[in-house]
Amino acid sequence: MHGEYKVAGGKLVTVDLTVRDGVLADVRVAGDFFLEPDEALAEIDAALTGLPRDTTTSRLAEAVRTRLADAQDTGRLLGPVAMVGFDERAVAVAVRRALGLSTTWEDHTFEVLRPGPLPPALHTALDQVLTEDLASGRRGPTLRFWEWDEPAVVIGSFQSLRNEVDLEAAERYGITVVRRISGGGAMFMEAGNCITFSLVVPASLVDGMTFEESYAFLNQWVLGALADVGVQAAITGLNDIASPAGKLAGSAQKRVVGGAVLHHVTMSYDIDAAKMLEVLRIGREKVSDKGTRSAAKRVDPVRSQTHLPREAVIDAFEAHFRAHYPSVPGELRADELERAEELRRTKFADPSWTARVP
């Protein structure tokens, strides 16, 4: 069995191993990393040998860490261990990939869905349906682009409704408020003013990653897609994407029992900042760590940096994703739409859900 893991900003770690009677055997770690002293490599191999096949990423890493510390304490290794370009967790992820417990993009085929305009509350319901379907094995991983023709504010699962939204202003502008299943902040969504997509992946794709690492990992392709349309961007903070001109997008996640991850991104295209600030209660504390004086300055539309129609940007994003990862065009099934519509009616359009955190 062979596994590989490329450390973000670091080096490649490879692992070759076999499994005998449910435990790891013949473990050989290699890669283009730097490690001192040389003898530490044999200690890493020995730390992993004999561990149960289903050992978690954190326990694999701890086994390596403990073995190296013991080797130093007992004099088997002369001098401190230096691991450059990788660490114990990188080794653990490579092991999990060798065992098929941790996967790569290339291990999956993604369906790309562009179902056309749907009510925002139906989109949030589809997030739940498609994530649960992946967890139960009814569907594979998906990338779904949102389209809608009515204005909405979509708030995070744990946000206070009255603290985030001026309900009188929302009613004045005919804006519906919807609560989604993932955390994070509010999305101000008039038709055509932002680019939103949901990525549903198996938990094995982010196996062994911290939440922060999984955000960066699942947003990485977005940086490449932005570069294709002339925007140089980077990950900032936990879940934001920004260009030198300012914030472009935010992302949020939800993980469900059964092993599925919902990751979605909302990107500014042509936000009406004045209206947004009337409807959303964005206080000074919210923007205090963004290096800006007002929330209006946080909005940095993609249109001004690409000079492309919104549809052309979405087309470029889809083309980038399909060029880099195994994918096929797909469609929502009738039963998925039926279940999503039922959820929209009984949950996402229900005031008791929207105001579950008043």
Side-chain angles (χ1 to χ4, degrees):
M1 299 178 181
H2 177 80
E4 298 183 353
Y5 177 66
K6 172 66 168 63
V7 178
K11 297 298 183 177
L12 178 69
V13 180
T14 68
V15 174
D16 291 279
L17 56 82
T18 58
V19 175
R20 296 197 191 101
D21 298 324
V23 300
L24 308 186
D26 305 322
V27 180
R28 295 292 180 268
V29 175
D32 61 357
F33 49 75
F34 301 96
L35 176 64
E36 296 290 346
D38 287 356
E39 293 76 15
L41 188 60
E43 295 290 341
I44 293 174
D45 293 343
L48 299 166
T49 300
L51 293 178
R53 180 186 183 278
D54 59 356
T55 302
T56 64
T57 304
S58 59
R59 290 188 177 182
L60 288 167
E62 182 59 29
V64 173
R65 191 176 300 113
T66 300
R67 177 83 184 203
L68 291 175
D70 179 72
Q72 291 178 80
D73 292 343
T74 60
R76 295 197 308 274
L77 294 178
L78 301 178
V81 174
M83 304 174 74
V84 182
F86 79 123
D87 57 16
E88 297 92 346
R89 197 185 63 80
V91 173
V93 172
V95 170
R96 297 272 295 182
R97 286 189 174 178
L99 295 167
L101 301 173
S102 179
T103 57
T104 68
W105 294 97
E106 289 71 24
D107 294 322
H108 307 282
T109 298
F110 292 80
E111 281 196 47
V112 180
L113 310 177
R114 294 181 67 169
L118 297 170
L122 191 57
H123 279 297
T124 56
L126 281 167
D127 274 348
Q128 179 171 332
V129 168
L130 296 182
T131 306
E132 290 176 347
D133 277 4
L134 175 60
S136 66
R138 291 191 296 264
R139 169 183 274 282
T142 60
L143 171 64
R144 178 173 58 88
F145 290 92
W146 293 30
E147 286 292 347
W148 61 98
D149 54 15
E150 60 185 85
V153 168
V154 181
I155 61 175
S157 180
F158 309 106
Q159 289 188 294
S160 163
L161 176 61
R162 63 170 173 258
N163 289 345
E164 296 297 327
V165 183
D166 185 323
L167 295 176
E168 291 185 1
E171 183 176 2
R172 183 165 65 249
Y173 287 115
I175 294 173
T176 301
V177 182
V178 181
R179 185 183 296 276
R180 62 181 185 266
I181 61 172
S182 60
M187 301 152 55
F188 180 76
M189 300 173 55
E190 291 182 299
N193 77 357
C194 58
I195 297 168
T196 298
F197 46 87
S198 297
L199 187 62
V200 179
V201 303
S204 62
L205 188 63
V206 295
D207 178 67
M209 298 182 191
T210 64
F211 273 95
E212 184 172 16
E213 289 167 337
S214 71
Y215 272 102
F217 177 75
L218 295 176
N219 278 334
Q220 199 63 42
W221 75 271
V222 183
L223 305 185
L226 283 166
D228 287 352
V229 293
V231 180
Q232 299 304 311
I235 307 298
T236 60
L238 170 65
N239 61 334
D240 287 347
I241 298 172
S243 73
K247 178 179 174 178
L248 290 167
S251 54
Q253 285 186 11
K254 172 68 175 180
R255 304 189 181 203
V256 303
V257 175
V261 179
L262 166 67
H263 178 92
H264 59 73
V265 175
T266 294
M267 185 170 297
S268 304
Y269 177 75
D270 190 19
I271 296 287
D272 182 339
K275 186 184 293 185
M276 181 187 74
L277 290 176
E278 286 188 59
V279 175
L280 298 186
R281 300 183 188 277
I282 303 176
R284 293 180 181 177
E285 184 66 22
K286 176 76 173 179
V287 299
S288 63
D289 64 341
K290 308 295 182 184
T292 59
R293 293 185 179 181
S294 72
K297 292 183 180 179
R298 293 181 60 207
V299 180
D300 187 10
V302 171
R303 187 176 72 166
S304 67
Q305 297 191 56
T306 65
H307 306 290
L308 291 172
R310 176 176 173 273
E311 188 74 10
V313 176
I314 296 173
D315 288 344
F317 277 33
E318 178 183 354
H320 180 91
F321 187 90
R322 295 189 63 183
H324 287 78
Y325 309 121
S327 54
V328 296
E331 294 183 354
L332 292 168
R333 299 192 301 264
D335 66 300
E336 292 168 337
L337 282 168
E338 183 179 342
R339 283 185 287 124
E341 176 56 37
E342 179 67 10
L343 270 177
R344 183 203 66 77
R345 185 181 65 81
T346 60
K347 179 176 181 178
F348 293 98
D350 188 330
S352 64
W353 166 258
T354 306
R356 77 181 188 98
V357 183

